[in-house]
């Protein structure tokens, strides 16, 4: 049993392994594309949700907050903020609208963005829509 490892054997391992992992990748891609429409409730995207996402991006909210695990971790995760605020868009809107102009001394604090009522409603609707995505409990809510 004194076989040597030849170039042909190495080539076959390389091609076989590459083919195997390409097939795994294609299978996972197919599965994701099949399951995603059932989980992301894209049929509920309205003009208000789109405007809310635009306001979210224009104000760089992801620079401090994370959304479904993506973004900065300076401020709280907002993927479940609608649930944490008791299912109330009005509470979210009031929290954003009535931020102190100079922040809270000695604490990190969200700035006052001076959003219009339409923009506040849109951001709240966007956060509500985001909270209803089936994320399989990701990211975990370690705050309680």
């Amino acid at each position: 049993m004194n076989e040597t490892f030849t170039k042909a054997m190495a080539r076959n391992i390389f091609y076989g392994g590459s083919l195997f992992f390409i097939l795994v990748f294609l299978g996972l891609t197919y599965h994701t594309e099949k399951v995603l429409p059932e989980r992301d409730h894209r049929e509920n995207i309205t003009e208000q949700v789109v405007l809310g996402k635009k306001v979210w991006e224009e104000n760089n909210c992801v620079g401090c907050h994370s959304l479904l695990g993506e973004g900065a971790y300076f401020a709280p995760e907002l993927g479940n903020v609608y649930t944490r605020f008791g299912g109330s868009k009005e509470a979210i809107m009031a929290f954003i609208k009535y931020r102190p102009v100079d922040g809270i001394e000695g604490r990190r604090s969200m700035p006052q963005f001076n959003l219009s009522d339409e923009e506040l409603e849109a951001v709240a609707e966007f956060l509500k829509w985001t909270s209803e995505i089936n994320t399989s409990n990701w990211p975990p809510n370690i705050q309680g």
Side-chain angles (χ1 to χ4, degrees):
M1 190 143 198
N2 192 8
E3 293 183 34
T4 58
F5 193 70
T6 64
K7 285 184 180 180
M9 293 169 74
R11 183 178 56 243
N12 290 340
I13 290 171
F14 171 77
Y15 287 135
S18 296
L19 179 63
F20 173 75
F21 284 107
I22 287 171
L23 291 174
V24 167
F25 174 75
L26 290 174
L28 289 172
T29 301
Y30 173 76
H31 178 263
T32 299
E33 290 296 320
K34 182 179 170 198
V35 171
L36 200 55
E38 300 167 6
R39 296 180 62 177
D40 67 3
H41 70 94
R42 60 185 72 171
E43 67 279 358
N44 296 334
I45 296 176
T46 63
E47 290 295 322
Q48 208 169 27
V49 171
V50 173
L51 176 61
K53 184 173 188 305
K54 182 180 178 203
V55 172
W56 167 273
E57 291 171 349
E58 287 175 348
N59 290 285
N60 191 29
C61 299
V62 77
C64 296
H65 294 278
S66 59
L67 188 65
L68 304 179
E70 292 292 323
Y73 290 96
F74 181 75
E77 159 70 34
L78 294 182
N80 58 6
V81 72
Y82 180 74
T83 306
R84 288 194 328 252
F85 275 59
S88 171
K89 290 192 310 185
E90 291 74 20
I92 295 170
M93 292 167 55
F95 183 83
I96 297 170
K97 186 174 185 173
Y98 297 110
R99 300 301 302 156
V101 175
D102 297 327
I104 301 170
E105 187 154 342
R107 294 186 55 195
R108 56 186 181 177
S109 178
M110 189 171 102
Q112 173 56 264
F113 288 106
N114 298 313
L115 301 175
S116 69
D117 288 341
E118 180 186 13
E119 290 172 325
L120 284 168
E121 177 76 28
V123 168
E125 188 65 31
F126 171 66
L127 293 173
K128 176 184 182 290
W129 179 82
T130 303
S131 74
E132 294 168 348
I133 295 173
N134 178 0
T135 62
S136 296
N137 297 320
W138 183 260
N141 187 6
I142 40 183
Q143 294 177 359

